[in-house]
Amino acid sequence: DQQVKQNSPSLSVQEGRISILNCDYTNSMFDYFLWYKKYPAEGPTFLISISSIKDKNEDGRFTVFLNKSAKHLSLHIVPSQPGDSAVYFCAAKNAGGTSYGKLTFGQGTILTVHP
Amino acid sequence: KAGVTQTPRYLIKTRGQQVTLSCSPISGHRSVSWYQQTPGQGLQFLFEYFSETQRNKGNFPGRFSGRQFSNSRSEMNVSTLELGDSALYLCASSFRQGGTEAFFGQGTRLTVV
């Protein structure tokens, strides 16, 4: 049962353009969402997060949008840079529930930014 | 401030053996979680420790166990290794139990032959 889904295995974008990575979830108990960036053979690096009480959070070039009614979130990277090329994981948790720190991850999207 | 440190980085073991992996969280962080990453299953939650107690557990067999020490360092143990246990094992630390941001170490690449 895939509770967090990233339906696009890969995304290719030109440098300077916008990258939009999408994530859908099915568990309505999730109330906190995170995006991680991962290079091969390294651990995920935290990028940005959003609480379910918000619909947008911005940090520099990264903006996360949350649509609770659609159970959908997206990560926008503007402008995209070649160094952004990596695997991006969406993760969700029930911050207030008994699952405590458990993060449920999507399968990841490989972003390639071409110079 | 030092990040999450996992040792060893790479490990090769034989089927049937057991293995212990170590994780030192960020200084001041008291929660440690463990994840397994495989190509087929992605990132899967193993367990979370806080104040030396296991607080949450994922859907893994009892061969997977862990513990946390008073200094918040954590170890993960896998007994009777199977080929399917080959994976990248990741440790994440948070300031508090169920902390909203989790910071990951570089992982331990375990290969079972």
Side-chain angles (χ1 to χ4, degrees), chain A residues 26-42:
Chain A
T26 57
N27 189 339
S28 57
M29 298 300 292
F30 289 145
D31 55 10
Y32 203 83
F33 304 89
L34 305 89
W35 284 94
Y36 286 87
K37 172 182 177 179
K38 188 179 184 300
Y39 295 113
E42 291 187 12

Side-chain angles (χ1 to χ4, degrees), chain A residues 2 32 34 36 38 41-46 49 89 93 95 98-107, chain B residues 9-10 33 35 37 40-43 45 48 55-56 88 90 97-106:
Chain A
Q2 193 75 18
Y32 203 83
L34 305 89
Y36 286 87
K38 188 179 184 300
E42 291 187 12
T45 301
F46 170 73
S49 61
F89 289 95
K93 69 190 301 183
T98 57
S99 59
Y100 298 112
K102 176 183 176 181
L103 286 170
T104 301
F105 284 87
Q107 292 294 94
Chain B
R9 287 293 310 277
Y10 303 93
S33 298
Y35 292 81
Q37 186 186 22
Q41 298 296 318
L43 277 151
F45 174 79
E48 180 186 19
R55 302 292 177 161
N56 198 4
L88 180 66
L90 292 158
Q97 181 182 350
T100 47
E101 274 77 46
F103 298 90
F104 284 82
Q106 290 190 298

Side-chain angles (χ1 to χ4, degrees), chain A residues 43-84:
Chain A
T45 301
F46 170 73
L47 279 175
I48 192 169
S49 61
I50 188 167
S51 163
S52 60
I53 63 173
K54 296 186 174 182
D55 55 18
K56 176 183 174 181
N57 188 25
E58 192 172 352
D59 184 1
R61 296 187 298 116
F62 302 93
T63 303
V64 56
F65 295 92
L66 175 62
N67 182 334
K68 278 193 302 183
S69 60
K71 293 191 175 67
H72 175 84
L73 64 155
S74 60
L75 174 68
H76 292 212
I77 306 174
V78 183
S80 301
Q81 300 172 354
D84 295 330

Side-chain angles (χ1 to χ4, degrees), chain B residues 78-92:
Chain B
V78 188
S79 62
T80 320
L81 283 165
E82 301 176 358
L83 295 179
D85 297 333
S86 295
L88 180 66
Y89 289 89
L90 292 158
C91 161

